[in-house]
PDB file of all heavy atoms in Angstrom:
ATOM      1  N   ARG A 514      29.011 -20.936 -45.767  1.00 81.00           N
ATOM      2  CA  ARG A 514      28.154 -20.686 -46.926  1.00 81.00           C
ATOM      3  C   ARG A 514      27.859 -21.985 -47.669  1.00 81.00           C
ATOM      4  O   ARG A 514      26.771 -22.183 -48.178  1.00 81.00           O
ATOM      5  CB  ARG A 514      28.809 -19.645 -47.840  1.00 81.00           C
ATOM      6  CG  ARG A 514      28.638 -18.230 -47.270  1.00 81.00           C
ATOM      7  CD  ARG A 514      29.248 -17.197 -48.157  1.00 81.00           C
ATOM      8  NE  ARG A 514      30.695 -17.267 -48.066  1.00 81.00           N
ATOM      9  CZ  ARG A 514      31.511 -16.905 -49.044  1.00 81.00           C
ATOM     10  NH1 ARG A 514      31.024 -16.478 -50.190  1.00 81.00           N
ATOM     11  NH2 ARG A 514      32.805 -16.961 -48.878  1.00 81.00           N
ATOM     12  N   ARG A 515      28.850 -22.888 -47.703  1.00 85.00           N
ATOM     13  CA  ARG A 515      28.620 -24.187 -48.344  1.00 85.00           C
ATOM     14  C   ARG A 515      27.572 -24.980 -47.576  1.00 85.00           C
ATOM     15  O   ARG A 515      26.671 -25.574 -48.158  1.00 85.00           O
ATOM     16  CB  ARG A 515      29.927 -24.987 -48.402  1.00 85.00           C
ATOM     17  CG  ARG A 515      30.643 -24.770 -49.688  1.00 85.00           C
ATOM     18  CD  ARG A 515      31.675 -25.875 -49.912  1.00 85.00           C
ATOM     19  NE  ARG A 515      32.830 -25.276 -50.539  1.00 85.00           N
ATOM     20  CZ  ARG A 515      34.040 -25.225 -50.019  1.00 85.00           C
ATOM     21  NH1 ARG A 515      34.284 -25.794 -48.855  1.00 85.00           N
ATOM     22  NH2 ARG A 515      35.014 -24.634 -50.654  1.00 85.00           N
ATOM     23  N   ALA A 516      27.694 -24.973 -46.256  1.00 84.00           N
ATOM     24  CA  ALA A 516      26.731 -25.716 -45.426  1.00 84.00           C
ATOM     25  C   ALA A 516      25.328 -25.142 -45.620  1.00 84.00           C
ATOM     26  O   ALA A 516      24.345 -25.880 -45.651  1.00 84.00           O
ATOM     27  CB  ALA A 516      27.144 -25.647 -43.959  1.00 84.00           C
ATOM     28  N   GLU A 517      25.251 -23.819 -45.784  1.00 82.00           N
ATOM     29  CA  GLU A 517      23.945 -23.183 -45.997  1.00 82.00           C
ATOM     30  C   GLU A 517      23.342 -23.605 -47.326  1.00 82.00           C
ATOM     31  O   GLU A 517      22.136 -23.840 -47.429  1.00 82.00           O
ATOM     32  CB  GLU A 517      24.092 -21.655 -45.923  1.00 82.00           C
ATOM     33  CG  GLU A 517      24.191 -21.172 -44.492  1.00 82.00           C
ATOM     34  CD  GLU A 517      24.566 -19.712 -44.356  1.00 82.00           C
ATOM     35  OE1 GLU A 517      25.139 -19.145 -45.309  1.00 82.00           O
ATOM     36  OE2 GLU A 517      24.303 -19.135 -43.310  1.00 82.00           O
ATOM     37  N   LYS A 518      24.207 -23.711 -48.347  1.00 86.00           N
ATOM     38  CA  LYS A 518      23.738 -24.151 -49.658  1.00 86.00           C
ATOM     39  C   LYS A 518      23.203 -25.573 -49.577  1.00 86.00           C
ATOM     40  O   LYS A 518      22.162 -25.891 -50.152  1.00 86.00           O
ATOM     41  CB  LYS A 518      24.883 -24.079 -50.673  1.00 86.00           C
ATOM     42  CG  LYS A 518      24.776 -22.858 -51.577  1.00 86.00           C
ATOM     43  CD  LYS A 518      25.799 -22.926 -52.696  1.00 86.00           C
ATOM     44  CE  LYS A 518      26.220 -21.513 -53.088  1.00 86.00           C
ATOM     45  NZ  LYS A 518      27.634 -21.405 -53.418  1.00 86.00           N
ATOM     46  N   ARG A 519      23.945 -26.428 -48.863  1.00 87.00           N
ATOM     47  CA  ARG A 519      23.537 -27.824 -48.721  1.00 87.00           C
ATOM     48  C   ARG A 519      22.178 -27.890 -48.014  1.00 87.00           C
ATOM     49  O   ARG A 519      21.301 -28.659 -48.383  1.00 87.00           O
ATOM     50  CB  ARG A 519      24.588 -28.577 -47.899  1.00 87.00           C
ATOM     51  CG  ARG A 519      24.663 -30.048 -48.244  1.00 87.00           C
ATOM     52  CD  ARG A 519      25.802 -30.712 -47.470  1.00 87.00           C
ATOM     53  NE  ARG A 519      27.068 -30.021 -47.622  1.00 87.00           N
ATOM     54  CZ  ARG A 519      27.899 -29.709 -46.610  1.00 87.00           C
ATOM     55  NH1 ARG A 519      27.589 -30.027 -45.381  1.00 87.00           N
ATOM     56  NH2 ARG A 519      29.040 -29.091 -46.828  1.00 87.00           N
ATOM     57  N   LEU A 520      22.017 -27.064 -47.001  1.00 86.00           N
ATOM     58  CA  LEU A 520      20.747 -27.039 -46.270  1.00 86.00           C
ATOM     59  C   LEU A 520      19.592 -26.661 -47.205  1.00 86.00           C
ATOM     60  O   LEU A 520      18.534 -27.289 -47.185  1.00 86.00           O
ATOM     61  CB  LEU A 520      20.842 -26.052 -45.104  1.00 86.00           C
ATOM     62  CG  LEU A 520      19.546 -25.768 -44.344  1.00 86.00           C
ATOM     63  CD1 LEU A 520      18.983 -27.044 -43.725  1.00 86.00           C
ATOM     64  CD2 LEU A 520      19.772 -24.725 -43.257  1.00 86.00           C
ATOM     65  N   LYS A 521      19.819 -25.657 -48.038  1.00 87.00           N
ATOM     66  CA  LYS A 521      18.756 -25.231 -48.961  1.00 87.00           C
ATOM     67  C   LYS A 521      18.380 -26.360 -49.910  1.00 87.00           C
ATOM     68  O   LYS A 521      17.208 -26.569 -50.208  1.00 87.00           O
ATOM     69  CB  LYS A 521      19.212 -23.995 -49.749  1.00 87.00           C
ATOM     70  CG  LYS A 521      19.101 -22.743 -48.925  1.00 87.00           C
ATOM     71  CD  LYS A 521      19.008 -21.476 -49.758  1.00 87.00           C
ATOM     72  CE  LYS A 521      19.125 -20.270 -48.846  1.00 87.00           C
ATOM     73  NZ  LYS A 521      20.517 -19.768 -48.744  1.00 87.00           N
ATOM     74  N   ARG A 522      19.398 -27.095 -50.372  1.00 89.00           N
ATOM     75  CA  ARG A 522      19.140 -28.207 -51.286  1.00 89.00           C
ATOM     76  C   ARG A 522      18.294 -29.268 -50.588  1.00 89.00           C
ATOM     77  O   ARG A 522      17.314 -29.755 -51.119  1.00 89.00           O
ATOM     78  CB  ARG A 522      20.465 -28.798 -51.768  1.00 89.00           C
ATOM     79  CG  ARG A 522      20.332 -29.624 -53.031  1.00 89.00           C
ATOM     80  CD  ARG A 522      21.675 -29.856 -53.690  1.00 89.00           C
ATOM     81  NE  ARG A 522      22.598 -30.508 -52.774  1.00 89.00           N
ATOM     82  CZ  ARG A 522      23.846 -30.096 -52.530  1.00 89.00           C
ATOM     83  NH1 ARG A 522      24.312 -29.028 -53.126  1.00 89.00           N
ATOM     84  NH2 ARG A 522      24.619 -30.736 -51.691  1.00 89.00           N
ATOM     85  N   ARG A 523      18.679 -29.591 -49.344  1.00 88.00           N
ATOM     86  CA  ARG A 523      17.932 -30.597 -48.577  1.00 88.00           C
ATOM     87  C   ARG A 523      16.484 -30.149 -48.351  1.00 88.00           C
ATOM     88  O   ARG A 523      15.567 -30.963 -48.375  1.00 88.00           O
ATOM     89  CB  ARG A 523      18.601 -30.838 -47.227  1.00 88.00           C
ATOM     90  CG  ARG A 523      19.986 -31.404 -47.329  1.00 88.00           C
ATOM     91  CD  ARG A 523      20.016 -32.871 -46.983  1.00 88.00           C
ATOM     92  NE  ARG A 523      21.371 -33.388 -46.979  1.00 88.00           N
ATOM     93  CZ  ARG A 523      21.945 -34.011 -48.004  1.00 88.00           C
ATOM     94  NH1 ARG A 523      21.291 -34.195 -49.132  1.00 88.00           N
ATOM     95  NH2 ARG A 523      23.181 -34.453 -47.898  1.00 88.00           N
ATOM     96  N   GLN A 524      16.310 -28.840 -48.117  1.00 87.00           N
ATOM     97  CA  GLN A 524      14.956 -28.325 -47.899  1.00 87.00           C
ATOM     98  C   GLN A 524      14.105 -28.453 -49.156  1.00 87.00           C
ATOM     99  O   GLN A 524      12.931 -28.792 -49.084  1.00 87.00           O
ATOM    100  CB  GLN A 524      15.013 -26.864 -47.434  1.00 87.00           C
ATOM    101  CG  GLN A 524      15.307 -26.752 -45.951  1.00 87.00           C
ATOM    102  CD  GLN A 524      15.633 -25.335 -45.520  1.00 87.00           C
ATOM    103  OE1 GLN A 524      16.117 -24.537 -46.303  1.00 87.00           O
ATOM    104  NE2 GLN A 524      15.380 -25.038 -44.253  1.00 87.00           N
ATOM    105  N   ARG A 525      14.748 -28.215 -50.310  1.00 89.00           N
ATOM    106  CA  ARG A 525      14.020 -28.375 -51.576  1.00 89.00           C
ATOM    107  C   ARG A 525      13.624 -29.833 -51.776  1.00 89.00           C
ATOM    108  O   ARG A 525      12.507 -30.136 -52.182  1.00 89.00           O
ATOM    109  CB  ARG A 525      14.885 -27.901 -52.747  1.00 89.00           C
ATOM    110  CG  ARG A 525      14.691 -26.432 -53.098  1.00 89.00           C
ATOM    111  CD  ARG A 525      15.187 -26.137 -54.513  1.00 89.00           C
ATOM    112  NE  ARG A 525      16.561 -26.590 -54.718  1.00 89.00           N
ATOM    113  CZ  ARG A 525      17.646 -25.854 -54.415  1.00 89.00           C
ATOM    114  NH1 ARG A 525      17.495 -24.655 -53.884  1.00 89.00           N
ATOM    115  NH2 ARG A 525      18.853 -26.311 -54.635  1.00 89.00           N
ATOM    116  N   GLU A 526      14.562 -30.741 -51.469  1.00 87.00           N
ATOM    117  CA  GLU A 526      14.269 -32.169 -51.603  1.00 87.00           C
ATOM    118  C   GLU A 526      13.088 -32.561 -50.721  1.00 87.00           C
ATOM    119  O   GLU A 526      12.203 -33.297 -51.132  1.00 87.00           O
ATOM    120  CB  GLU A 526      15.492 -33.010 -51.205  1.00 87.00           C
ATOM    121  CG  GLU A 526      16.572 -33.048 -52.273  1.00 87.00           C
ATOM    122  CD  GLU A 526      17.902 -33.574 -51.745  1.00 87.00           C
ATOM    123  OE1 GLU A 526      17.918 -34.149 -50.637  1.00 87.00           O
ATOM    124  OE2 GLU A 526      18.906 -33.397 -52.438  1.00 87.00           O
ATOM    125  N   LEU A 527      13.105 -32.031 -49.514  1.00 87.00           N
ATOM    126  CA  LEU A 527      12.029 -32.356 -48.564  1.00 87.00           C
ATOM    127  C   LEU A 527      10.679 -31.903 -49.103  1.00 87.00           C
ATOM    128  O   LEU A 527       9.680 -32.627 -49.019  1.00 87.00           O
ATOM    129  CB  LEU A 527      12.310 -31.700 -47.200  1.00 87.00           C
ATOM    130  CG  LEU A 527      11.218 -31.811 -46.150  1.00 87.00           C
ATOM    131  CD1 LEU A 527      10.969 -33.271 -45.783  1.00 87.00           C
ATOM    132  CD2 LEU A 527      11.589 -31.029 -44.896  1.00 87.00           C
ATOM    133  N   SER A 528      10.649 -30.711 -49.694  1.00 87.00           N
ATOM    134  CA  SER A 528       9.361 -30.159 -50.133  1.00 87.00           C
ATOM    135  C   SER A 528       8.783 -30.961 -51.293  1.00 87.00           C
ATOM    136  O   SER A 528       7.592 -30.889 -51.571  1.00 87.00           O
ATOM    137  CB  SER A 528       9.524 -28.687 -50.507  1.00 87.00           C
ATOM    138  OG  SER A 528      10.319 -28.595 -51.665  1.00 87.00           O
ATOM    139  N   ARG A 529       9.655 -31.724 -51.982  1.00 88.00           N
ATOM    140  CA  ARG A 529       9.166 -32.525 -53.105  1.00 88.00           C
ATOM    141  C   ARG A 529       8.619 -33.882 -52.668  1.00 88.00           C
ATOM    142  O   ARG A 529       7.949 -34.560 -53.430  1.00 88.00           O
ATOM    143  CB  ARG A 529      10.279 -32.723 -54.140  1.00 88.00           C
ATOM    144  CG  ARG A 529      10.494 -31.503 -55.025  1.00 88.00           C
ATOM    145  CD  ARG A 529      11.270 -31.870 -56.271  1.00 88.00           C
ATOM    146  NE  ARG A 529      12.615 -32.329 -55.929  1.00 88.00           N
ATOM    147  CZ  ARG A 529      13.697 -31.550 -55.958  1.00 88.00           C
ATOM    148  NH1 ARG A 529      13.580 -30.294 -56.310  1.00 88.00           N
ATOM    149  NH2 ARG A 529      14.870 -32.016 -55.647  1.00 88.00           N
ATOM    150  N   LYS A 530       8.931 -34.291 -51.432  1.00 85.00           N
ATOM    151  CA  LYS A 530       8.485 -35.614 -50.956  1.00 85.00           C
ATOM    152  C   LYS A 530       7.032 -35.543 -50.491  1.00 85.00           C
ATOM    153  O   LYS A 530       6.613 -34.561 -49.889  1.00 85.00           O
ATOM    154  CB  LYS A 530       9.361 -36.072 -49.783  1.00 85.00           C
ATOM    155  CG  LYS A 530      10.842 -36.155 -50.121  1.00 85.00           C
ATOM    156  CD  LYS A 530      11.185 -37.491 -50.739  1.00 85.00           C
ATOM    157  CE  LYS A 530      12.677 -37.668 -50.914  1.00 85.00           C
ATOM    158  NZ  LYS A 530      13.238 -36.982 -52.094  1.00 85.00           N
ATOM    159  N   ARG A 531       6.291 -36.606 -50.802  1.00 85.00           N
ATOM    160  CA  ARG A 531       4.893 -36.629 -50.433  1.00 85.00           C
ATOM    161  C   ARG A 531       4.734 -36.811 -48.924  1.00 85.00           C
ATOM    162  O   ARG A 531       5.486 -37.547 -48.287  1.00 85.00           O
ATOM    163  CB  ARG A 531       4.157 -37.756 -51.172  1.00 85.00           C
ATOM    164  CG  ARG A 531       2.699 -37.425 -51.365  1.00 85.00           C
ATOM    165  CD  ARG A 531       2.130 -37.942 -52.694  1.00 85.00           C
ATOM    166  NE  ARG A 531       2.839 -39.074 -53.283  1.00 85.00           N
ATOM    167  CZ  ARG A 531       2.475 -40.350 -53.107  1.00 85.00           C
ATOM    168  NH1 ARG A 531       1.457 -40.652 -52.338  1.00 85.00           N
ATOM    169  NH2 ARG A 531       3.128 -41.315 -53.710  1.00 85.00           N
ATOM    170  N   LYS A 532       3.759 -36.118 -48.334  1.00 83.00           N
ATOM    171  CA  LYS A 532       3.534 -36.178 -46.887  1.00 83.00           C
ATOM    172  C   LYS A 532       3.156 -37.585 -46.450  1.00 83.00           C
ATOM    173  O   LYS A 532       2.454 -38.295 -47.172  1.00 83.00           O
ATOM    174  CB  LYS A 532       2.432 -35.200 -46.482  1.00 83.00           C
ATOM    175  CG  LYS A 532       2.975 -33.807 -46.285  1.00 83.00           C
ATOM    176  CD  LYS A 532       1.990 -32.892 -45.582  1.00 83.00           C
ATOM    177  CE  LYS A 532       2.598 -31.498 -45.478  1.00 83.00           C
ATOM    178  NZ  LYS A 532       1.651 -30.465 -45.220  1.00 83.00           N
ATOM    179  N   GLY A 533       3.632 -37.970 -45.275  1.00 82.00           N
ATOM    180  CA  GLY A 533       3.242 -39.250 -44.704  1.00 82.00           C
ATOM    181  C   GLY A 533       4.019 -40.434 -45.248  1.00 82.00           C
ATOM    182  O   GLY A 533       3.776 -41.558 -44.845  1.00 82.00           O
ATOM    183  N   THR A 534       4.970 -40.192 -46.148  1.00 84.00           N
ATOM    184  CA  THR A 534       5.754 -41.304 -46.685  1.00 84.00           C
ATOM    185  C   THR A 534       7.040 -41.472 -45.884  1.00 84.00           C
ATOM    186  O   THR A 534       7.487 -40.546 -45.208  1.00 84.00           O
ATOM    187  CB  THR A 534       6.125 -41.062 -48.164  1.00 84.00           C
ATOM    188  OG1 THR A 534       6.909 -39.872 -48.219  1.00 84.00           O
ATOM    189  CG2 THR A 534       4.883 -40.904 -49.017  1.00 84.00           C
TER     190      THR A 534
END
Side-chain angles (χ1 to χ4, degrees):
R514 283 181 287 152
R515 267 198 217 118
E517 282 170 339
K518 258 188 211 142
R519 208 176 308 133
L520 172 60
K521 282 202 189 94
R522 199 164 57 230
R523 297 255 185 264
Q524 279 169 333
R525 269 199 307 274
E526 283 165 14
L527 173 63
S528 68
R529 282 197 296 263
K530 302 274 188 280
R531 208 145 24 95
K532 276 193 182 162
T534 61

